[in-house]
Amino acid sequence: DAKTTQPTSMDCAEGRAANLPCNHSTISGNEYVYWYRQIHSQGPQYIIHGLKNNETNEMASLIITEDRKSSTLILPHATLRDTAVYYCIVSQSTGNQFYFGTGTSLTVIP
Amino acid sequence: DVKVTQSSRYLVKRTGEKVFLECVQDMDHENMFWYRQDPGLGLRLIYFSYDVKMKEKGDIPEGYSVSREKKERFSLILESASTNQTSMYLCASTTGTHSYEQYFGPGTRLTVT
């Protein structure tokens, strides 16, 4: 069952910030938000995850709203290599049963 | 670096054949997963395993079985391949403790004719 809603596709200009939204209005208290991406012809790759605080790593930032019903993945300076399908997933930290859905296809435009 | 390998990148089989898809990981991960990916449907979980000889059904187990005789190897079996099993099959693994990051193999594109 789908637990997240994401736009089907987005464009972003190279060098600009890419902001990818995700709605997860039915998230429960012990569920984390995970983001993965899949570049064409490769397996998905982990980007970042969080519970309720904002998170940042070398790849991206994750902003989670206070009510935890939505989040935004931010790629601060998008490059052509960031063109990929981005998946927002909610799941408990244990169990590992991820529902990937269809994600958002991000195209970075030169 | 974690490495997850799959036995074939491309495979063509006939309807009714028994098909084995092999996945091997080299990082001593406890958990392994099989997904299939189809246009418009995203990745769907077929089976997963938390330990040797253990298996759990995912969202779409019908028509598939799995085998995990060794920790590093997780096999997906199509007992009698059908055309609706034509798909991209992806294997993944993760540790039991830092289980937020699943490491994926490159995928096997299976065509059943």
Side-chain angles (χ1 to χ4, degrees):
Chain A
D1 292 335
K3 293 185 177 181
T4 65
T5 303
Q6 299 177 253
T8 302
S9 63
M10 293 180 63
D11 293 337
C12 177
E14 188 177 16
R16 303 296 293 268
N19 297 284
L20 292 92
C22 180
N23 288 321
H24 32 80
S25 58
T26 61
I27 192 170
S28 59
N30 61 352
E31 287 184 316
Y32 286 70
V33 179
Y34 302 81
W35 283 84
Y36 280 68
R37 75 178 182 184
Q38 185 175 22
I39 296 170
H40 184 62
S41 298
Q42 298 181 20
Q45 174 193 24
Y46 166 82
I47 301 173
I48 200 168
H49 77 289
L51 183 63
K52 50 186 177 181
N53 296 322
N54 298 336
E55 303 287 346
T56 295
N57 63 20
E58 64 278 4
M59 291 181 68
S61 295
L62 173 60
I63 309 297
I64 302 174
T65 58
E66 192 169 345
D67 63 7
R68 303 211 320 125
K69 293 185 177 181
S70 66
S71 61
T72 301
L73 178 76
I74 301 171
L75 309 177
H77 305 286
T79 71
L80 299 180
R81 288 176 293 181
D82 292 322
T83 292
V85 177
Y86 288 77
Y87 299 96
C88 170
I89 303 160
V90 295
S91 182
Q92 298 178 15
S93 61
T94 58
N96 296 297
Q97 296 182 51
F98 286 177
Y99 177 80
F100 277 81
T102 53
T104 296
S105 178
L106 174 70
T107 301
V108 180
I109 302 169
Chain B
D1 283 350
V2 175
K3 194 170 183 182
V4 180
T5 58
Q6 297 183 227
S7 50
S8 306
R9 286 304 304 268
Y10 300 94
L11 205 55
V12 180
K13 295 292 181 181
R14 293 190 181 276
T15 300
E17 279 192 82
K18 190 169 186 176
V19 182
F20 292 88
L21 302 182
E22 305 286 342
C23 175
V24 178
Q25 49 92 6
D26 65 358
M27 285 300 291
D28 201 36
H29 283 172
E30 289 83 4
N31 309 318
M32 297 187 74
F33 308 83
W34 274 107
Y35 296 88
R36 65 177 281 177
Q37 184 170 29
D38 301 288
L41 297 175
L43 279 82
R44 293 178 292 168
L45 182 63
I46 305 172
Y47 266 98
F48 57 102
S49 169
Y50 288 144
D51 203 349
V52 174
K53 297 193 183 297
M54 292 182 68
K55 60 183 179 182
E56 297 285 342
K57 293 180 179 179
D59 297 321
I60 51 163
E62 297 78 20
Y64 304 94
S65 61
V66 290
S67 173
R68 189 146 181 223
E69 296 296 318
K70 293 184 178 181
K71 191 175 186 179
E72 68 271 17
R73 186 180 298 270
F74 192 34
S75 302
L76 181 69
I77 303 158
L78 288 66
E79 294 289 343
S80 178
S82 63
T83 55
N84 62 13
Q85 292 179 309
T86 291
S87 185
M88 171 68 81
Y89 289 89
L90 289 154
C91 174
S93 73
T94 187
T95 67
T97 50
H98 301 288
S99 56
Y100 54 83
E101 185 167 3
Q102 292 194 10
Y103 296 87
F104 282 81
T108 295
R109 183 163 294 283
L110 172 68
T111 301
V112 182
T113 61

